[in-house]
Amino acid sequence: MSGRKILLLVAILMAGGLLEGAFSLRGHLELGPSGCRVHPGRFSGPSFSFEEQRQLELPAGGAVRLTNAFGSVSVRGGGPAGQARVLLRKTVFAGAEARARELAERVKLEVGQDAGGLVLGTNRRDVEQGELRDASLETHFEIELPSDARVVVSNEYGSVSISGVAAVEAQNAFEDLRVEDVAGPVT
């Protein structure tokens, strides 16, 4: 074998090694806003949490319908009759607390009513369209309901835990969905 062929073989092997290393490194360096690391369905990096809490009236045997995007949902039965306690924790991944607070103040708990009870969610999608270019946001719900309440949850990214209620209809695209101690039907 000539010297040129050996050099060509070494050059091809080195180029292949460099390409393999670059693709491997690329899979681990997914940086998002302000240097926050983005993992499938999760953010990490500098973050700040802000809470919004409400106490709402819920008719006996009423339903609570919740739609959430990024964040966990925890629903627990056993609360006072006729009341729903809702805690919305907004975790903003941003480089500065002032910027995080500004975004958290724009994200609001939305409460509506329908014939069966309460409809809960946030205005996150409205804020996301223009405001989250340099930050990321998770919305976590903790809800306490009476034991006779029915629950309908639709969550995209984040764990869902529901216990101690009358009936459950839940869907979760990613992460765990845990339902226990439900008196009636579960879908």
Side-chain angles (χ1 to χ4, degrees):
M1 206 177 208
S2 72
R4 283 186 169 181
K5 288 182 181 179
I6 292 174
L7 285 176
L8 178 61
L9 178 61
V10 169
I12 290 172
L13 290 174
M14 288 180 64
L18 287 172
L19 285 172
E20 179 66 28
F23 277 106
S24 177
L25 185 61
R26 188 189 95 196
H28 296 288
L29 287 180
E30 297 179 36
L31 293 178
S34 300
C36 297
R37 289 185 54 81
V38 179
H39 303 283
R42 283 205 167 108
F43 305 105
S44 65
S47 67
F48 305 90
S49 290
F50 307 91
E51 293 183 351
E52 182 178 345
Q53 191 167 358
R54 303 264 300 268
Q55 188 162 324
L56 307 164
E57 290 185 33
L58 180 67
V64 173
R65 300 179 201 311
L66 170 65
T67 303
N68 192 35
F70 280 88
S72 62
V73 174
S74 173
V75 180
R76 185 171 34 101
Q83 294 182 10
R85 294 183 185 152
V86 180
L87 172 70
L88 170 61
R89 189 175 72 255
K90 301 169 266 191
T91 302
V92 182
F93 294 84
E97 185 175 4
R99 175 69 175 140
R101 184 176 304 283
E102 175 188 334
L103 286 169
E105 288 174 358
R106 290 181 183 216
V107 176
K108 301 289 183 195
L109 172 63
E110 292 185 335
V111 178
Q113 290 189 324
D114 64 9
L118 298 172
V119 179
L120 304 174
T122 66
N123 66 335
R124 175 198 173 97
R125 296 224 191 269
D126 298 335
V127 174
E128 273 183 336
Q129 290 177 357
E131 298 298 318
L132 291 178
R133 286 182 300 271
D134 64 341
S136 298
L137 171 70
E138 293 178 351
T139 50
H140 305 278
F141 281 88
E142 294 178 25
I143 303 171
E144 184 180 31
L145 302 172
S147 298
D148 66 349
R150 295 172 289 123
V151 177
V152 178
V153 172
S154 177
N155 196 43
E156 290 181 32
Y157 293 92
S159 63
V160 175
S161 173
I162 304 170
S163 67
V165 293
V168 172
E169 183 179 322
Q171 73 177 49
N172 193 29
F174 297 96
E175 296 207 32
D176 295 336
L177 171 60
R178 189 170 137 195
V179 178
E180 60 187 16
D181 193 27
V182 176
V186 174
T187 304

